[in-house]
Amino acid sequence: MEVTAVQGDITRQQVDAVVNAANHRMRGGGGVDGAIHRAGGRAILDDCIRRFPDGLATGDAGWTTAGDLPAAWVIHVVGPNRHAGQTDRGLLLSCYSRALEVADELGARIVAFPLVSAGVYGWPKDDAIAAPLEVFRSAMTAVEEARLVAFDAPTYELIREALG
């Protein structure tokens, strides 16, 4: 699997699936979650409500339609919230491995990922970059490209450096 870094808006990526850093309720929110729900339209929320009436557990993943996004699917993951005492790195790793499993179930070959938990959930950025790279390097998946999407230039440069 090729791992690439992109600076830009995850909601505009021309990919098979976009990964959403959702909260456990899966009803929209701030950051990446809010951006995906706004850009994708009501269809994403309606599908979240229908498919996940009780939300998702931290570390888990599930998919919905992508609504008006250029992708076919949104793969929602619930990252650990360090500010709420969720410090188990295994939960963060699980977000990426479960997202790849869901992508394989869907037949998605190009998947755009945000840095899960790196925003308001307070995960240290260096580890928020190291965690997906660790999973991607050892994953047995049919995904051909895992695209790490950074909204800002400093984060993009950190990802590029980590990729070598």
Side-chain angles (χ1 to χ4, degrees), residues 20-24 28-34 79-86 114-125 128:
N20 179 26
N23 60 53
H24 76 280
V32 170
D33 191 22
N81 183 343
R82 281 185 75 89
H83 297 307
Q86 296 175 329
L115 293 179
V116 176
S117 294
V120 297
Y121 279 12
W123 206 271
K125 197 168 280 187

Side-chain angles (χ1 to χ4, degrees), residues 81-152:
N81 183 343
R82 281 185 75 89
H83 297 307
Q86 296 175 329
T87 59
D88 180 357
R89 188 172 189 265
L91 293 171
L92 183 59
L93 295 171
S94 179
C95 288
Y96 291 99
S97 59
R98 284 287 298 127
L100 290 173
E101 290 171 9
V102 171
D104 283 341
E105 291 169 13
L106 295 169
R109 296 295 174 254
I110 304 172
V111 181
F113 290 83
L115 293 179
V116 176
S117 294
V120 297
Y121 279 12
W123 206 271
K125 197 168 280 187
D126 60 338
D127 196 40
I129 294 168
L133 296 181
E134 183 178 318
V135 171
F136 297 159
R137 288 183 179 132
S138 64
M140 298 298 295
T141 180
V143 171
E144 296 167 5
E145 180 188 353
R147 187 178 297 176
L148 287 172
V149 181
F151 188 73
D152 61 69

